[in-house]
Amino acid sequence: MSTWQLSRVAGIGREVVHRIVGPVLGEFVGGPRIEGGQWLADLPRPLLICPNHQSHLDIPVLRRALGRHGRHRLAIAAADDYWYQRRPYQVVVSWFAAVPFRRVGSGADSIRAVEGLLDDGWRVVIFPEGTRSRTGAIAPFKPGAGLVAVRRGVPVLPVRIDGLWAVLPPGARRPHRGRTRVRFGQPLVAHDGETPRAFTERLEAAVRAL
């Protein structure tokens, strides 16, 4: 797997482009409006960031909401069966510091890759639903993020994104202007003896409650 997207030069390039494109995106999605910003003041590294998944615009909007500090050393776990099957898709998603994450079958290598990034001090975004919502509602969470949280003991930032399903839902070719909101919750840490499944259930409840 190529790792150019994780280089310092790529990170500088992303920030430069974000400062140009970010305000345009902000106008298009109405901000986004941010709630729970107090949890971003001292955002730790390493960290798992776990939002619900509504749209292909989730990542650029989340990056804008996190601010410059939160975007620093931010990687994305991206579905390998979708983003890594076509070269143009791979280039696009890699620009956002993405690494392939296997959704079907054994995901042991994907879990180790995420854990390696965490060990190197990255913040990593994992969408626990595993795919974009087809209705706009939050789907049940899968246990991958919970497994990493329990094994590594890293904090997990719950995030709820609302409004982007109306802006660019699955299957849409063109986005529509809309108003979006990103809500951050208090970071969660796995309890002693907590199972990945139990942590995943707690994380899902936290995101739904935002």
Side-chain angles (χ1 to χ4, degrees):
M1 180 190 71
S2 172
T3 58
W4 65 267
Q5 70 272 29
L6 305 178
S7 68
R8 182 172 179 271
V9 171
I12 293 172
R14 274 190 294 274
E15 188 61 28
V16 169
V17 171
H18 180 86
R19 293 190 181 196
I20 298 171
V21 178
V24 178
L25 175 65
E27 287 291 326
F28 202 82
V29 301
R33 177 176 152 195
I34 299 170
E35 297 179 8
Q38 69 269 24
W39 303 116
L40 304 180
D42 297 303
L43 207 59
R45 285 194 291 117
L47 175 73
L48 280 178
I49 300 176
C50 292
N52 60 308
H53 201 5
Q54 293 196 329
S55 169
H56 283 329
L57 290 178
D58 287 342
I59 287 301
V61 168
L62 176 62
R63 283 176 52 82
R64 180 168 172 78
L66 284 168
R68 182 178 180 183
H69 171 66
R71 289 191 297 270
H72 181 61
R73 288 178 71 82
L74 178 71
I76 316 299
D80 70 340
D81 60 304
Y82 183 91
W83 291 106
Y84 290 86
Q85 301 307 307
R86 300 180 183 178
R87 181 64 178 172
Y89 284 19
Q90 182 176 343
V91 171
V92 169
V93 77
S94 294
W95 172 251
F96 290 100
V99 295
F101 194 85
R102 189 170 186 181
R103 300 186 293 183
V104 180
S106 175
D109 290 343
S110 298
I111 295 294
R112 283 193 291 269
V114 168
E115 291 176 335
L117 288 169
L118 294 170
D119 291 344
D120 287 340
W122 284 77
R123 301 182 181 104
V124 182
V125 177
I126 294 181
F127 291 105
E129 293 164 280
T131 190
R132 290 166 294 162
S133 172
R134 270 27 185 195
T135 64
I138 297 175
F141 281 15
K142 297 182 178 181
L147 178 62
V148 175
V150 168
R151 285 180 24 161
R152 280 298 186 268
V154 297
V156 179
L157 181 70
V159 185
R160 179 163 181 163
I161 301 172
D162 288 307
L164 279 179
W165 193 85
V167 173
L168 186 68
R173 293 184 177 275
R174 295 182 180 179
H176 303 279
R177 285 183 177 272
R179 304 195 65 80
T180 60
R181 177 173 57 184
V182 179
R183 286 177 278 186
F184 298 101
Q186 182 175 4
L188 307 176
V189 178
H191 303 315
D192 289 343
E194 189 170 20
T195 65
R197 184 175 297 277
F199 182 88
T200 299
E201 291 174 354
R202 187 156 61 94
L203 172 61
E204 181 179 340
V207 172
R208 289 182 181 276
L210 289 173

Tab-separated table of all heavy atoms in Angstrom, residues 25 34 38 41 88 91 97 109 121 138 141 169 171 175 187 206:
chain	number	residue	atom	x	y	z
A	25	LEU	N	-17.086	25.372	0.624
A	25	LEU	CA	-17.874	24.267	1.169
A	25	LEU	C	-18.780	24.759	2.284
A	25	LEU	O	-19.956	24.372	2.367
A	25	LEU	CB	-16.940	23.180	1.692
A	25	LEU	CG	-17.596	21.994	2.404
A	25	LEU	CD1	-18.459	21.199	1.429
A	25	LEU	CD2	-16.536	21.096	3.046
A	34	ILE	N	-21.804	23.964	14.443
A	34	ILE	CA	-21.046	23.056	15.308
A	34	ILE	C	-21.580	23.134	16.736
A	34	ILE	O	-21.780	24.220	17.279
A	34	ILE	CB	-19.545	23.406	15.286
A	34	ILE	CG1	-18.990	23.265	13.863
A	34	ILE	CG2	-18.761	22.526	16.261
A	34	ILE	CD1	-17.595	23.812	13.705
A	38	GLN	N	-16.547	22.357	22.752
A	38	GLN	CA	-15.655	22.332	23.916
A	38	GLN	C	-14.799	21.073	23.964
A	38	GLN	O	-13.715	21.070	24.553
A	38	GLN	CB	-16.454	22.471	25.217
A	38	GLN	CG	-17.326	21.267	25.576
A	38	GLN	CD	-18.729	21.378	25.009
A	38	GLN	OE1	-18.951	22.072	24.016
A	38	GLN	NE2	-19.692	20.701	25.651
A	41	ALA	N	-11.195	21.400	22.196
A	41	ALA	CA	-10.159	22.320	22.671
A	41	ALA	C	-8.837	21.613	22.933
A	41	ALA	O	-7.762	22.144	22.608
A	41	ALA	CB	-10.649	23.037	23.926
A	88	PRO	N	-9.193	6.227	-10.149
A	88	PRO	CA	-9.593	7.611	-9.833
A	88	PRO	C	-10.171	7.752	-8.426
A	88	PRO	O	-9.889	8.732	-7.731
A	88	PRO	CB	-10.641	7.929	-10.908
A	88	PRO	CG	-10.328	7.004	-12.029
A	88	PRO	CD	-9.845	5.739	-11.379
A	91	VAL	N	-7.312	7.686	-5.855
A	91	VAL	CA	-6.568	8.944	-5.795
A	91	VAL	C	-7.339	9.981	-4.980
A	91	VAL	O	-6.772	10.678	-4.128
A	91	VAL	CB	-6.279	9.476	-7.210
A	91	VAL	CG1	-5.707	10.890	-7.155
A	91	VAL	CG2	-5.317	8.550	-7.943
A	97	ALA	N	-5.941	11.461	3.154
A	97	ALA	CA	-5.139	10.640	4.076
A	97	ALA	C	-5.884	9.364	4.451
A	97	ALA	O	-5.898	8.958	5.619
A	97	ALA	CB	-4.746	11.425	5.331
A	109	ASP	N	-6.124	-7.437	8.981
A	109	ASP	CA	-5.092	-6.548	8.463
A	109	ASP	C	-5.518	-5.087	8.568
A	109	ASP	O	-4.698	-4.210	8.865
A	109	ASP	CB	-4.768	-6.888	7.004
A	109	ASP	CG	-4.037	-8.216	6.865
A	109	ASP	OD1	-3.501	-8.710	7.877
A	109	ASP	OD2	-4.007	-8.760	5.739
A	121	GLY	N	0.582	8.034	16.612
A	121	GLY	CA	0.078	9.326	17.051
A	121	GLY	C	-0.928	9.979	16.130
A	121	GLY	O	-1.133	11.199	16.208
A	138	ILE	N	-29.644	6.596	11.359
A	138	ILE	CA	-28.422	5.912	11.789
A	138	ILE	C	-28.672	4.412	11.812
A	138	ILE	O	-29.644	3.933	12.398
A	138	ILE	CB	-27.983	6.408	13.176
A	138	ILE	CG1	-27.640	7.907	13.120
A	138	ILE	CG2	-26.779	5.618	13.675
A	138	ILE	CD1	-27.306	8.510	14.467
A	141	PHE	N	-24.345	-0.082	14.572
A	141	PHE	CA	-22.894	-0.001	14.462
A	141	PHE	C	-22.281	-1.393	14.384
A	141	PHE	O	-22.732	-2.329	15.042
A	141	PHE	CB	-22.307	0.717	15.677
A	141	PHE	CG	-22.440	2.221	15.611
A	141	PHE	CD1	-23.293	2.841	14.707
A	141	PHE	CD2	-21.710	3.022	16.485
A	141	PHE	CE1	-23.407	4.222	14.650
A	141	PHE	CE2	-21.816	4.401	16.439
A	141	PHE	CZ	-22.662	5.003	15.526
A	169	PRO	N	-27.113	12.562	-0.933
A	169	PRO	CA	-27.380	11.194	-0.473
A	169	PRO	C	-26.742	10.177	-1.407
A	169	PRO	O	-26.312	10.512	-2.513
A	169	PRO	CB	-28.908	11.112	-0.534
A	169	PRO	CG	-29.283	12.045	-1.643
A	169	PRO	CD	-28.289	13.175	-1.563
A	171	GLY	N	-26.197	7.733	-4.287
A	171	GLY	CA	-26.825	7.665	-5.596
A	171	GLY	C	-26.982	8.997	-6.285
A	171	GLY	O	-27.189	9.050	-7.505
A	175	PRO	N	-24.722	17.632	-5.671
A	175	PRO	CA	-25.166	18.061	-4.344
A	175	PRO	C	-26.161	19.213	-4.435
A	175	PRO	O	-26.230	19.916	-5.441
A	175	PRO	CB	-23.857	18.516	-3.679
A	175	PRO	CG	-22.996	18.967	-4.826
A	175	PRO	CD	-23.347	18.072	-5.984
A	187	PRO	N	-15.478	12.465	24.753
A	187	PRO	CA	-14.749	11.250	24.362
A	187	PRO	C	-15.003	10.101	25.338
A	187	PRO	O	-15.131	10.293	26.550
A	187	PRO	CB	-13.283	11.698	24.396
A	187	PRO	CG	-13.345	13.163	24.120
A	187	PRO	CD	-14.595	13.638	24.834
A	206	ALA	N	-24.214	6.811	22.399
A	206	ALA	CA	-23.701	8.174	22.552
A	206	ALA	C	-23.918	8.994	21.289
A	206	ALA	O	-24.306	10.178	21.358
A	206	ALA	CB	-22.227	8.141	22.923
